[in-house]
Amino acid sequence: MAGKRTARRILAGGAALAAAGWALRDVPAELGVRPLMSGPDRAARMRRSPQFRNGTFVNTMPEPTALMSTPPASMLGELTRERGQRRPAGPVPLRVPPADPPPADGVRAIWYGHASTLVEIEGRRVLFDPVWSRRPSPSQLVGPKRHHPVPVELRELPEVDAIAISHDHYDHLDMATVRRLTRTQRAPFLVPLGIGAHLERWGVPTYRIVELDWDEEVEVAGLRFVATAARHFSGRSLTRNDTLWGSWVVAGRARRVFYAGDSGYFEGYRGIGSAHGPFDLTLMPIGAYSPSWPDIHMDPEQAVQAHLDLGGSLLLPVHWATFTLALHPWAEPVERLWREAKARDARIVVPRPGEAVDASAAPAVEGWWETLV
């Protein structure tokens, strides 16, 4: 009998190890590639960039950027307190995205959660920072889990004209999603310098990869895409800043959209607005802020200021509600945003995941999150 129990324990242990090994099999690929080692042409372009110094990319705006390498002891204590406030108290309401064609001369947006957003501009579709995995992590065994499902499966997405990535952090660049989109879509991937090395390793054909430095532009499907500045950092492992980060201007004949990606506030938003605005719609990050990293994630009040600097007409908040990536309460970002928008007379819209928003006829803010705190 003891021998049978021992055999069962051995078998169970072996099965657990096998399952863990299977779950971790993709971790090396998830970590991506060192772009400087991925080919001489890419390395030469990176070294020519004004943002590339001493082997890494840097924030070239005059404001300093500080990132704490280790959290303070007080913050470690907060991690174990009030954890319930950092997630919704009930199911996040979802909406089924519309299946009708995009408006031929307007701007419509569908926020899927976190930063993943589909923007329809003058009849074309642009997908920003798509992340469909359960966790933004190199392994689906660890890391923050979704607070709500994605409102539409990847296979049900309409055909898109471009896929734009802001930087290579896991909550903005997801290997599993990229691989699926490579199979199910034909659109090119527009990325900051260096990120093409990750995409190539994950099976994206070279002809579908467009890498740009800040202030470089390309035309895709009749839309003008300009890679613009952001105040952030990059890295999928302990190595940081070997790929560039950025924001995106998307301009049609008459309509313009700005996607900020991840960024701390910086004075350069005024310059982006002067050069490329005004914007019918801005997609601004409002969550995952902290006193420990004030320079790389703006808070809600700074998001409103950046929106006004850009000459934005309507602000749609992103980078909140889906993953817990900081210590603030789950709904605090949108509550602060709503207060600041009222105080500054800024137009905002706060859709539920999957809900379509027409930038020219945005609905009034309903406060749907208030029942979940």
Side-chain angles (χ1 to χ4, degrees), residues 3 97 124 140 152 177 190 252 271 285 295 310 314 316 332 342 346 363:
R124 302 298 187 180
Q140 293 301 297
V152 62
T177 301
L190 280 59
D295 303 321
L310 289 159
L314 179 68
L316 191 159
E332 182 183 281
K342 292 175 182 177

Side-chain angles (χ1 to χ4, degrees), residues 47-325:
R47 292 191 175 99
R48 288 196 302 268
S49 170
Q51 283 65 245
F52 195 78
R53 300 175 185 171
N54 300 319
T56 61
F57 288 101
V58 299
N59 288 294
T60 51
M61 55 279 297
E63 299 94 334
T65 301
L67 178 64
M68 300 186 70
S69 58
T70 57
S74 60
M75 182 178 175
L76 294 175
E78 291 178 32
L79 285 170
T80 62
R81 296 193 298 269
E82 300 179 345
R83 284 183 291 183
Q85 294 186 17
R86 297 195 288 274
R87 60 175 65 94
V92 174
L94 306 180
R95 293 292 182 267
V96 177
D100 58 318
D105 58 358
V107 173
R108 186 170 67 174
I110 302 169
W111 175 62
Y112 297 122
H114 196 57
S116 303
T117 310
L118 181 71
V119 171
E120 299 171 333
I121 174 171
E122 296 182 354
R124 302 298 187 180
R125 292 188 175 105
V126 182
L127 183 60
F128 290 103
D129 284 356
V131 174
W132 258 248
S133 289
R134 188 180 180 216
R135 302 177 190 262
S137 169
S139 170
Q140 293 301 297
L141 294 177
V142 296
K145 291 186 291 187
R146 284 184 172 274
H147 296 313
H148 64 83
V150 183
V152 62
E153 296 296 330
L154 276 177
R155 65 178 179 274
E156 298 169 351
L157 279 183
E159 184 174 355
V160 302
D161 295 283
I163 303 163
I165 306 296
S166 63
H167 64 294
D168 73 356
H169 286 158
Y170 289 95
D171 58 322
H172 293 258
L173 179 64
D174 177 50
M175 182 181 74
T177 301
V178 166
R179 285 177 166 174
R180 288 286 302 278
L181 290 172
T182 302
R183 296 194 299 269
T184 60
Q185 297 279 347
R186 295 178 293 176
F189 290 81
L190 280 59
V191 299
L193 286 180
I195 293 179
H198 299 328
L199 302 187
E200 287 174 357
R201 178 172 186 182
W202 300 341
V204 180
T206 302
Y207 69 86
R208 287 181 61 181
I209 300 171
V210 180
E211 291 183 70
L212 298 179
D213 199 354
W214 292 354
D215 299 321
E216 292 183 341
E217 62 182 71
V218 66
E219 183 173 314
V220 175
L223 299 175
R224 184 170 62 93
F225 290 80
V226 186
T228 44
R231 191 179 181 208
H232 200 53
F233 71 109
S234 67
R236 296 179 71 83
S237 64
L238 296 178
T239 301
R240 285 180 176 168
N241 300 341
D242 56 356
T243 63
L244 186 59
W245 49 94
S247 55
W248 288 101
V249 168
V250 184
R253 297 181 307 276
R255 305 293 185 177
R256 295 180 180 89
V257 172
F258 179 79
Y259 173 58
D262 271 4
S263 181
Y265 178 79
F266 65 105
E267 296 291 336
Y269 285 120
R270 292 189 179 92
I272 294 173
S274 296
H276 304 290
F279 295 98
D280 299 273
L281 178 69
T282 68
L283 308 175
M284 305 302 296
I286 65 167
Y289 48 84
S290 170
S292 298
W293 50 85
D295 303 321
I296 58 169
H297 281 175
M298 67 183 88
D299 61 34
E301 292 79 12
Q302 291 171 325
V304 171
Q305 182 62 59
H307 165 77
L308 296 174
D309 291 347
L310 289 159
S313 175
L314 179 68
L315 186 160
L316 191 159
V318 300
H319 211 269
W320 79 285
T322 305
F323 303 112
T324 295
L325 302 176

Side-chain angles (χ1 to χ4, degrees), residues 17-39:
L17 287 173
W22 178 260
L24 294 173
R25 71 193 187 284
D26 286 333
V27 169
E30 286 273 13
L31 297 178
V33 175
R34 298 296 302 276
L36 283 176
M37 308 298 292
S38 65

